[in-house]
Amino acid sequence: MGPEHEPGKMNETRSTAGVPARAAALRLLDAVLRRGLPLEGALDSAARGLDRADDRALAHAIAAEVLRRLTDLDALIDGATAKPLPPDAKARFALRIALAQALQLGTPPHAAIATVLPLVDGGPRRLVHGVFGALMRSGATLPALPALPPELAARWDAAWGDDVTQAAARAIVAPPPLDLTLRDPATTAAWAERLGGISLAPGHVRLPAGARVTELAGFAEGAWWVQDISASLPACLLGAGHGRSVLDLCAAPGGKTMQLAAAGWAVTALDLAEPRLKRMGENLKRTRLSVKLVTGDALTFAPAGPADAVLLDAPCSATGIFRRHPDVLQRVRPRAIAGLAERQQAMLARAAGWVKPGGTLLYAVCSLEQEEGERVADAFLASHAGFESRPVAADELPAGFVVDALGRVRVLPGTLEAEGGADGFFIARFAKR
Ligand SMILES: C[S@@+](CC[C@H](N)C(=O)[O-])C[C@H]1O[C@@H](n2cnc3c(N)ncnc32)[C@H](O)[C@@H]1O
């Protein structure tokens, strides 16, 4: 059979204008699933050659939807193939992309398949077309709630219970709202009204998903910045600065740095990553907040002297921010979590040496792994007799957030669910004796 008679060739030219965006989605998925890279970090390279912002956004949206639904998509594919396709097979990737579009993103099936067949040119086009067609004819659908990857579901079930894992599944399919942190908390009611949002805490405004950030009132003048409500808690727990010094380690892109500067702290902000610091410089310029920026490694950096407070918002698995970064659901493995927890302990040990007697050390991670949050905090206290816990009181937190029995903040899926949810987080506060 000549190619012109192959299945899927009919009407293909008409509907293949979007092939480069699908090819970019394939490269993105390959980067995340095969090479273990973060979705956002892989975007520039995967989307090279895509001139239009719309195509880039489409490639990202397709890849993100595949990552949210990977377990269910693979179950459909496996149920429709006589012999399972290998996990890394291009045909499997092409089918995931076509099915995510047809079943979740509203792409007409003929366009969904026509735009992925060129990705398997010279390969199993016929198989891809056949499996996709069979699934479409059988009226295949995806379940209302996504199945989590089995290893992750088992880990979260064991750590937090089935209710939390179920809440995570609901959160995966609920577009997260847009949270803003205000430079001046005294203006909360005014900004909530002006932007048409709600406020869940002083200095916080929540808008529905989908707002175009740079077009909102107050963006250009730097009246606020984007920050999930959970991520805004650590800086709030340090209180007003009154000119005292704070060392913000791992600071970029600067959400917490800006909160601290706005609350009257004299901030020294350190980060390892130049591009992230550059973004932070832009944020500080927009918000007209003054901070001393330092490029450096928290594991080797030595400040001029100790500080009244040290904030370690440590690099972590980021499993708490799966709503906006669904790649973490698929690529974070126990070995990586153990390595990150070890690095956090080393960073905390360094940070401990820079706190003035009587000062505060705050440790935070946007992780849902006990190994990173609770166990790191336990190990720190067990190995640093000069520090004690400075427990967080429930009334220091906005309604809906809770502290554990040891006065540490643990934000789990299900928190603020009726209001649009919150990212997973852990915060522990220590005092130097
Ligand atoms: C969780 S993010 C910080 C978010 C930031 N605190 C905020 O609120 O916007 C972790 C940061 O740690 C930085 N980082 C990772 N390893 C580091 C190290 N050894 N020293 C300093 N910064 C590091 C990363 O570049 C990243 O910007």
Side-chain angles (χ1 to χ4, degrees):
M1 194 189 289
E4 68 280 14
H5 296 119
E6 273 185 37
K9 273 279 171 188
M10 226 169 34
N11 288 334
E12 203 173 302
T13 354
R14 190 163 47 82
S15 41
T16 49
V19 173
R22 276 68 176 190
L26 183 89
R27 287 193 292 272
L28 258 180
L29 288 168
D30 181 71
V32 172
L33 296 173
R34 214 171 49 76
R35 291 186 280 140
L37 300 176
L39 182 64
E40 301 303 324
L43 186 57
D44 279 347
S45 161
R48 66 185 180 273
L50 291 186
D51 297 332
R52 297 177 51 229
D54 282 357
D55 282 343
R56 197 179 149 96
L58 177 61
H60 182 274
I62 293 171
E65 195 57 29
V66 169
L67 293 167
R68 281 185 200 104
R69 290 292 190 158
L70 194 72
T71 306
D72 296 317
L73 289 168
D74 279 349
L76 280 184
I77 294 166
D78 291 340
T81 41
K83 200 169 124 214
L85 291 168
D88 289 346
K90 219 175 189 183
R92 184 182 284 280
F93 277 73
L95 279 165
R96 289 164 170 166
I97 291 173
L99 289 169
Q101 289 176 84
L103 300 179
Q104 287 299 117
L105 299 176
T107 310
H110 72 270
I113 189 63
T115 47
V116 302
L117 285 177
L119 309 183
V120 284
D121 256 349
R125 278 176 68 104
R126 192 185 292 261
L127 172 92
V128 169
H129 191 271
V131 171
F132 180 82
L135 285 168
M136 289 299 109
R137 283 191 300 279
S138 71
T141 54
L142 292 172
L145 284 188
L148 272 65
E151 186 187 80
L152 180 92
R155 198 168 72 233
W156 287 358
D157 275 353
W160 312 117
D162 179 54
D163 285 358
V164 169
T165 312
Q166 289 297 314
R170 293 194 294 278
I172 289 171
V173 287
L178 180 71
D179 280 346
L180 309 177
T181 297
L182 304 178
R183 193 177 52 201
D184 179 3
T187 61
T188 303
W191 276 111
E193 192 185 336
R194 186 160 170 207
L195 293 166
I198 57 164
S199 176
L200 301 171
H204 167 265
V205 172
R206 172 163 285 190
L207 303 180
R212 285 181 183 266
V213 173
T214 53
E215 290 168 16
L216 291 174
F219 173 80
E221 68 199 78
W224 48 257
W225 50 93
V226 174
Q227 185 178 41
D228 188 83
I229 187 165
S230 294
S232 74
L233 300 178
C236 295
L237 294 175
L238 286 174
H242 303 296
R244 289 177 296 161
S245 57
V246 63
L247 198 51
D248 182 4
L249 302 167
C250 306
K256 298 172 192 70
T257 312
M258 291 187 280
Q259 282 179 284
L260 292 168
W265 289 88
V267 191
T268 301
L270 179 88
D271 204 280
L272 193 61
E274 277 286 359
R276 287 171 69 89
L277 273 170
K278 189 166 167 261
R279 218 174 109 206
M280 182 163 167
E282 288 158 10
N283 284 334
L284 287 166
K285 196 167 159 205
R286 183 173 63 84
T287 52
R288 288 172 282 117
L289 289 164
S290 176
V291 164
K292 184 177 172 201
L293 287 186
V294 182
T295 309
D297 185 336
L299 290 167
T300 52
F301 165 77
D308 294 299
V310 176
L311 168 60
L312 177 66
D313 185 25
C316 69
S317 64
T319 45
I321 55 175
F322 64 83
R323 298 181 302 165
R324 294 180 182 85
H325 301 276
D327 52 299
V328 296
L329 296 168
Q330 309 298 339
R331 72 180 170 77
V332 175
R333 299 274 175 270
R335 231 174 96 191
I337 295 169
L340 287 158
E342 219 171 280
R343 183 137 60 107
Q344 288 159 28
Q345 287 194 28
M347 285 182 160
L348 262 180
R350 287 284 299 179
W354 307 331
V355 184
K356 282 184 190 170
T360 305
L361 173 60
L362 208 103
Y363 159 66
V365 276
C366 57
S367 162
L368 283 169
E369 314 302 329
Q370 288 179 338
E371 204 175 345
E372 287 181 289
E374 286 82 352
R375 296 299 83 81
V376 169
D378 293 344
F380 175 75
L381 278 181
S383 57
H384 290 78
F387 281 81
E388 61 191 0
S389 170
R390 185 171 278 173
V392 175
D395 64 6
E396 288 182 82
L397 299 173
F401 290 91
V402 292
V403 289
D404 69 11
L406 298 176
R408 308 176 300 194
V409 182
R410 173 44 91 183
V411 189
L412 292 172
T415 302
L416 296 180
E417 188 164 353
E419 292 84 7
D423 283 347
F425 236 86
F426 175 84
I427 309 165
R429 191 168 58 186
F430 310 109
K432 190 163 187 170
R433 297 180 207 271

